[in-house]
Amino acid sequence: MDRRQAITGHTKIVGVIGSPINHSRSPQMHNAALSKAGLDFVYVPFHVSADAIDQAINGFKALKIIGINVTLPHKQSVIPYLTSISHEADLIGAVNTLTFLDNGIHGDNTDAPGFLRAMNENNIPIPIGKDVVVLGAGGSARAIVVALALADVNSITIVNRTVPKAITLAEELTKKISKQYVDIMSKDNVEKSVDVTFDTNITGMGFDDKQLPEAIVNCAMLVNTTSSGMDESQPLLINQEWLQSETIVYDIVYTPPITKLLKAAQEMGCTTIEGIGMLIHQGAIAFEQWTGVEPCVNTMKNALLIN
Ligand code: ATR
């Protein structure tokens, strides 16, 4: 039966808001997983312009919508409407998932745990206590730096074309995360005199920094968050020779699935991780929150690959 004929007054609604929204691949991914799980839910894309967020949120409440994914330009503007926010989303300063509850709205950022889960799925260890280089200093980089810092990596070097953005992001997250850490320790009644150390050293630099080759040669993991990998005519942002075979290379770009950086890394014998995993897992975590059911990630992946 056509899925649309199965929609009744019992069907629960989830979806995504953004502007633009036509390009979003979340509906195909979520609807496939909802069908597979036999859940009477439908996932709908909603075009909501920047100035209509207030009406949209009130409308969702009135319509008893279960949950909403949030994409540009609303990831920050939804925060004032929340009654609770996850630890990660608070640190990142951006929300990509809303869950409508009887007593309010909960905000989450599933990009951070989704990034780590995609590693787990591939049996690739999180580089706890090791050094990581992150290319880019935009919204995705923020989520990934928070995820890695909370996972206790030793250092994160943020490298960006616009250098001040990398430096500011490193300083801002260092301050926020170390403060948060102290807060958590105090709440657990740990004596305030305890030497609380926040171990992840986060720094920012440009692509022409003299220390970049050494940082990449010595890192356990290199993550690309810049959109430059989407355009195959663009040159590599780094020198292929800096990649060591022990280095994990993770590109969060998923079109094309194997980016120029991943190809270069594979030629050097590196373990590589494709961006589709993070896309799937950030969605899977939202799916679980809304439905209480773990989705079939293979179904999500097939839906993305087919369409
Ligand atoms: P996202 O939410 O996906 O992170 P974003 O916030 O727009 O998107 O960030 C895009 C990132 O890709 C930025 O770090 C951007 O660098 P600038 O801050 O200098 O703009 C980076 N980026 C985009 N195109 C790039 C290119 N051709 N070369 C290098 N970096 C690029």
Side-chain angles (χ1 to χ4, degrees):
M1 179 168 51
D2 184 326
R3 239 184 94 63
R4 280 168 291 199
Q5 290 170 25
I7 294 174
T8 68
H10 298 286
T11 306
K12 296 191 168 75
I13 299 172
V14 289
V16 55
I17 54 168
S19 178
I21 200 64
N22 292 346
H23 68 286
S24 174
R25 299 168 81 183
S26 294
Q28 67 206 52
M29 178 171 87
H30 278 275
N31 283 320
L34 289 165
S35 289
K36 171 84 178 173
L39 293 165
D40 190 7
F41 276 67
V42 63
Y43 186 105
V44 187
F46 296 104
H47 179 263
V48 175
S49 55
D51 59 359
I53 190 66
D54 192 61
Q55 290 150 285
I57 298 275
N58 284 321
F60 292 145
K61 284 200 258 184
L63 296 168
K64 301 263 182 275
I65 301 287
I66 302 292
I68 287 290
N69 281 140
V70 181
T71 184
L72 295 176
H74 305 299
K75 286 186 170 191
Q76 273 108 32
S77 61
V78 295
I79 293 176
Y81 296 91
L82 304 177
T83 38
S84 61
I85 187 165
S86 71
H87 183 44
E88 285 101 332
D90 189 29
L91 290 173
I92 296 162
V95 161
N96 77 343
T97 303
L98 303 177
T99 305
F100 292 84
L101 307 163
D102 288 341
N103 53 356
I105 307 173
H106 178 72
D108 249 301
N109 191 311
T110 64
D111 282 337
F115 171 82
L116 298 178
R117 265 216 215 173
M119 295 186 73
N120 280 337
E121 186 193 26
N122 287 288
N123 293 320
I124 295 171
I126 293 160
I128 298 166
K130 298 184 178 163
D131 302 317
V132 180
V133 174
V134 173
L135 309 180
S140 306
R142 284 182 83 88
I144 288 165
V145 171
V146 166
L148 290 168
L150 294 181
D152 244 344
V153 303
N154 180 54
S155 79
I156 304 170
T157 306
I158 303 171
V159 191
N160 201 44
R161 179 177 61 181
T162 312
V163 184
K165 261 175 78 178
I167 294 170
T168 309
L169 181 61
E171 287 173 354
E172 187 202 327
L173 290 181
T174 298
K175 259 192 224 142
K176 268 181 115 173
I177 295 173
S178 48
K179 181 178 174 296
Q180 200 80 16
Y181 193 58
V182 172
D183 285 350
I184 291 167
M185 296 293 279
S186 326
K187 263 185 221 142
D188 288 347
N189 295 325
V190 175
E191 278 180 46
K192 281 196 179 136
S193 58
V194 164
D195 184 16
V196 177
T197 49
F198 165 60
D199 289 334
T200 306
N201 179 35
I202 310 174
T203 49
M205 62 169 66
F207 284 97
D208 56 0
D209 196 293
K210 286 196 196 83
Q211 292 178 337
L212 182 60
E214 199 188 330
I216 294 182
V217 166
N218 292 327
C219 75
M221 180 159 86
L222 173 77
V223 185
N224 175 55
T225 74
T226 75
S227 40
S228 82
M230 291 167 81
D231 178 357
E232 290 184 276
S233 66
Q234 294 260 347
L236 274 185
L237 291 171
I238 57 149
N239 189 330
Q240 182 180 17
E241 303 301 316
W242 299 341
L243 298 170
Q244 308 300 300
S245 59
E246 312 80 53
T247 308
I248 298 160
V249 180
Y250 192 156
D251 199 333
I252 70 157
V253 168
Y254 50 84
T255 43
I258 309 283
T259 59
K260 217 172 188 174
L261 174 66
L262 292 186
K263 266 183 219 144
Q266 284 166 358
E267 282 167 18
M268 300 303 283
C270 304
T271 300
T272 57
I273 311 176
E274 298 170 28
I276 195 169
M278 179 174 168
L279 174 67
I280 292 168
H281 285 284
Q282 62 76 31
I285 296 165
F287 184 111
E288 278 165 35
Q289 283 215 10
W290 299 332
T291 66
V293 172
E294 209 177 300
C296 172
V297 290
N298 275 337
T299 300
M300 293 172 111
K301 187 170 186 173
N302 289 338
L304 287 171
L305 295 177
I306 293 165
N307 297 290

